[in-house]
PDB file of all heavy atoms in Angstrom:
ATOM      1  N   LEU W  58       9.398  -8.770   8.229  1.00 93.00           N
ATOM      2  CA  LEU W  58       9.214  -7.338   7.973  1.00 93.00           C
ATOM      3  C   LEU W  58       9.033  -6.529   9.264  1.00 93.00           C
ATOM      4  O   LEU W  58       8.552  -5.396   9.213  1.00 93.00           O
ATOM      5  CB  LEU W  58       8.024  -7.117   7.032  1.00 93.00           C
ATOM      6  CG  LEU W  58       8.123  -7.783   5.652  1.00 93.00           C
ATOM      7  CD1 LEU W  58       6.956  -7.354   4.762  1.00 93.00           C
ATOM      8  CD2 LEU W  58       9.441  -7.454   4.968  1.00 93.00           C
ATOM      9  N   PHE W  88       5.544   0.381  -2.936  1.00 98.00           N
ATOM     10  CA  PHE W  88       5.450   0.739  -1.516  1.00 98.00           C
ATOM     11  C   PHE W  88       4.366  -0.145  -0.908  1.00 98.00           C
ATOM     12  O   PHE W  88       3.190  -0.036  -1.282  1.00 98.00           O
ATOM     13  CB  PHE W  88       5.077   2.219  -1.353  1.00 98.00           C
ATOM     14  CG  PHE W  88       6.201   3.150  -1.707  1.00 98.00           C
ATOM     15  CD1 PHE W  88       6.357   3.625  -2.997  1.00 98.00           C
ATOM     16  CD2 PHE W  88       7.110   3.545  -0.734  1.00 98.00           C
ATOM     17  CE1 PHE W  88       7.389   4.487  -3.321  1.00 98.00           C
ATOM     18  CE2 PHE W  88       8.152   4.401  -1.047  1.00 98.00           C
ATOM     19  CZ  PHE W  88       8.294   4.880  -2.344  1.00 98.00           C
ATOM     20  N   ASP W 150     -19.782  -2.357   1.889  1.00 96.00           N
ATOM     21  CA  ASP W 150     -20.596  -1.504   2.765  1.00 96.00           C
ATOM     22  C   ASP W 150     -19.858  -1.192   4.062  1.00 96.00           C
ATOM     23  O   ASP W 150     -18.909  -1.881   4.443  1.00 96.00           O
ATOM     24  CB  ASP W 150     -21.998  -2.075   3.016  1.00 96.00           C
ATOM     25  CG  ASP W 150     -21.980  -3.273   3.943  1.00 96.00           C
ATOM     26  OD1 ASP W 150     -21.243  -3.262   4.925  1.00 96.00           O
ATOM     27  OD2 ASP W 150     -22.722  -4.230   3.665  1.00 96.00           O
TER      28      ASP W 150
END
Side-chain angles (χ1 to χ4, degrees):
L58 300 187
F88 288 90
D150 73 41

